[in-house]
Amino acid sequence: MDLSWMGWTAFTATFFAVIACFLVIMIVWEKLRPGGAPKVGILGFETTRGDRLFISLLGSAFIHIGWLFFIGGILWWALAISVVYGLAVFKWA
C-alpha cells in the first residue's frame, strides 16, 4: 500500500507510535491505580491524569508548531521543551 501521499516518514510513524505508547501506559496506570486522584492545580480547575495527558500533548503540538514557525529546522530543542512542559503539567496542573 502506497502511503507516500500522506507524508509518512520515519518521524511521522514514530510520532504516532509514541502517542499510542502514551495511551497504553495510561491504560496500564489506570488499571494498576484506578481513579487517578483528580486535583486542582495552577489551572484553577480539577484535572485527571487523562486531562493532563491531553493538555500536555496539545501544548507540545503548539510548542512544535511555534518552533517551526519562529526557528525552523531541527526540532530536538522543541522536543526537550515539550518533555519539560509535559512533566510540569503532570506535576502542577
Side-chain angles (χ1 to χ4, degrees):
M1 181 170 12
D2 183 25
L3 297 176
S4 62
W5 63 272
M6 293 176 59
W8 283 96
T9 64
F11 295 114
T12 307
T14 302
F15 172 78
F16 284 107
V18 167
I19 290 178
C21 287
F22 283 158
L23 293 174
V24 169
I25 289 168
M26 293 296 285
I27 290 169
V28 170
W29 192 3
E30 182 64 28
K31 292 292 182 186
L32 293 176
R33 296 191 59 177
K39 65 178 185 175
V40 176
I42 61 171
L43 298 175
F45 56 88
E46 191 174 88
T47 60
T48 63
R49 287 188 291 232
D51 297 332
R52 292 187 291 273
L53 176 65
F54 178 75
I55 292 166
S56 63
L57 289 175
L58 189 62
S60 295
F62 282 115
I63 289 168
H64 280 79
I65 290 170
W67 186 273
L68 286 173
F69 182 77
F70 292 110
I71 309 294
I74 306 298
L75 292 173
W76 290 112
W77 283 107
L79 176 63
I81 293 167
S82 295
V83 168
V84 171
Y85 170 74
L87 293 172
V89 166
F90 269 85
K91 174 103 175 138
W92 293 302

